[in-house]
Amino acid sequence: METRKLNNGVEIPVVGLGTYKIGNTDKETYRAVRTALDAGYRHIDTATLYVNERPVGRAIRESGIAREEIFVTTKLWGSAILSNRIQEAFEGSLSNLGLDYVDLYLVHWPVKGKLAFTWQAMERIFDSGKTRSIGVSNHLVHHIDELLQEATIVPAVNQMELHPCLTQNDVVKYCSRKGIVPVAWSPLGRNNIALLEEETLVTIGKKHGKSPAQVILRWNVDKGIVVVPKSSDSQRQKENIEIFDFQLTTEEINQIDALNRDYRTGIHPDKISF
Ligand SMILES: NC(=O)c1ccc[n+]([C@@H]2O[C@H](COP(=O)([O-])OP(=O)(O)OC[C@H]3O[C@@H](n4cnc5c(N)ncnc54)[C@H](OP(=O)(O)O)[C@@H]3O)[C@@H](O)[C@H]2O)c1
């Protein structure tokens, strides 16, 4: 598994397993994370919101893989920010996961008027040594600009909705300038836009003997973007990491870039409420 270096030297595997709604039960979630780890995944993305930190953590702990070989991300939900329980929320996540530390702790969504306050609490958590890095998610340029005004640590990543229909070029360019690694959530369009049937992706895939999903994931990785596709199915999990044996041409990358239509499957970051 290829990795990218974060701005603090920590290495993040460029493909991770998304776990939002990965199982209807804890048993299914546990199974899906175990099959992914068996297939070679070394990066698992969860969040307090997903209410699955317990089975995700148990799958990691029982995998037989050394803890330091697995990159674990979890996220802080906005209600904990509004009730001033950020530290408690972090401790709760660690306890749910049954881990001594995580590799990345993210502010899940920006909470208006609380950006600098939240980030200062995140910096204290980082200083405690219980997370190897801190970052943000769903932050637009103006959110990051605002939190940086009082920050001593630059976020390591910004995890955002990103796929060929929503390339977020402005945020990606800004992040790259600031040394923040972009991470794509719903990289496959969450299966609720017909992205995987898109002619351009099908044609490019055929040329390389790859699926449209693999083409999208490779396109991201080629652009320096980390991806966290979710699959509950062991075959599709394998498919989503078999992207390191082919390369897209510049022309193909440009063709995929041209599919952008600023289409969000999720909420706009300025419209979220908790
Ligand atoms: N930070 C945030 O606010 C935020 C928001 C949303 C999501 N996320 C993270 O991002 C992760 C991924 O996003 P997502 O789950 O919304 O969407 P996604 O990864 O874009 O798409 C998942 C869907 O694609 C299907 N799929 C996966 N691999 C496939 C393949 N090779 N071929 C065909 N279909 C395939 C899955 O079905 P099967 O499971 O049946 O394979 C599932 O229906 C989440 O799980 C979560 O960890 C973060």
Side-chain angles (χ1 to χ4, degrees):
M1 175 64 69
E2 283 178 18
T3 60
R4 262 205 80 174
K5 207 174 267 224
L6 301 176
N7 58 17
N8 59 1
V10 170
E11 304 269 350
I12 184 170
V14 296
V15 183
L17 179 75
T19 65
Y20 183 51
K21 298 190 175 168
I22 200 163
N24 292 317
T25 60
D26 283 2
K27 202 171 166 188
E28 283 178 13
T29 300
Y30 175 86
R31 201 61 257 148
V33 176
R34 284 295 302 267
T35 57
L37 290 168
D38 288 348
Y41 282 78
R42 292 294 179 268
H43 170 180
I44 309 291
D45 182 84
T46 181
T48 311
L49 179 77
Y50 308 166
V51 200
N52 66 9
E53 288 171 318
R54 283 176 195 278
V56 166
R58 192 162 71 81
I60 290 167
R61 286 183 277 110
E62 293 178 3
S63 66
I65 300 164
R67 169 67 188 91
E68 61 273 18
E69 283 181 30
I70 307 175
F71 189 100
V72 182
T73 302
T74 193
K75 313 186 190 87
L76 168 70
W77 190 240
S79 54
I81 297 170
L82 289 168
S83 60
N84 198 6
R85 295 174 62 82
I86 297 176
Q87 179 67 34
E88 290 90 330
F90 175 72
E91 295 293 345
S93 284
L94 276 190
S95 160
N96 287 340
L97 288 161
L99 301 175
D100 300 332
Y101 70 93
V102 290
D103 296 275
L104 179 61
Y105 194 47
L106 298 179
V107 182
H108 205 147
W109 288 85
V111 176
K112 200 173 169 211
K114 296 273 187 185
L115 297 175
F117 165 83
T118 306
W119 193 247
Q120 282 158 12
M122 294 291 284
E123 291 185 336
R124 284 194 294 279
I125 290 170
F126 176 77
D127 289 341
S128 75
K130 292 181 182 172
T131 181
R132 295 176 72 218
S133 39
I134 50 175
V136 294
S137 174
N138 299 302
H139 279 48
L140 301 174
V141 169
H142 75 90
H143 298 123
I144 303 178
D145 265 342
E146 189 179 325
L147 79 81
L148 282 180
Q149 278 172 18
E150 295 181 45
T152 53
I153 300 173
V154 175
V157 315
N158 184 17
Q159 184 182 116
M160 63 191 107
E161 180 177 352
L162 201 156
H163 43 71
C165 295
L166 180 72
T167 51
Q168 302 230 44
N169 292 333
D170 57 335
V171 190
V172 169
K173 273 192 194 136
Y174 172 91
C175 285
S176 302
R177 268 206 319 277
K178 297 278 183 190
I180 301 168
V181 170
V183 178
W185 65 253
S186 291
L188 307 176
R190 215 178 240 188
N191 241 3
N192 66 5
I193 40 178
L195 190 56
L196 302 181
E197 284 133 50
E198 175 63 53
E199 194 52 45
T200 306
L201 300 171
V202 173
T203 307
I204 294 174
K206 276 189 187 145
K207 270 201 245 162
H208 295 280
K210 292 287 173 181
S211 69
Q214 290 171 316
V215 169
I216 295 175
L217 298 172
R218 183 73 237 182
W219 165 78
N220 275 295
V221 169
D222 279 343
K223 287 157 62 115
I225 298 167
V226 172
V227 286
V228 288
K230 168 261 172 188
S231 181
S232 310
D233 175 82
S234 62
Q235 284 312 311
R236 286 190 288 280
Q237 288 176 349
K238 284 198 187 103
E239 181 182 328
N240 294 345
I241 53 170
E242 283 168 2
I243 61 162
F244 299 104
D245 55 355
F246 77 111
Q247 209 126 39
L248 298 172
T249 64
T250 307
E251 195 192 336
E252 287 167 339
I253 291 175
N254 292 340
Q255 282 171 357
I256 302 170
D257 285 339
L259 297 174
N260 180 48
R261 48 190 167 92
D262 296 332
Y263 180 83
R264 283 180 194 277
T265 66
I267 196 160
H268 189 283
D270 281 326
K271 304 253 166 71
I272 182 93
S273 58
F274 301 95

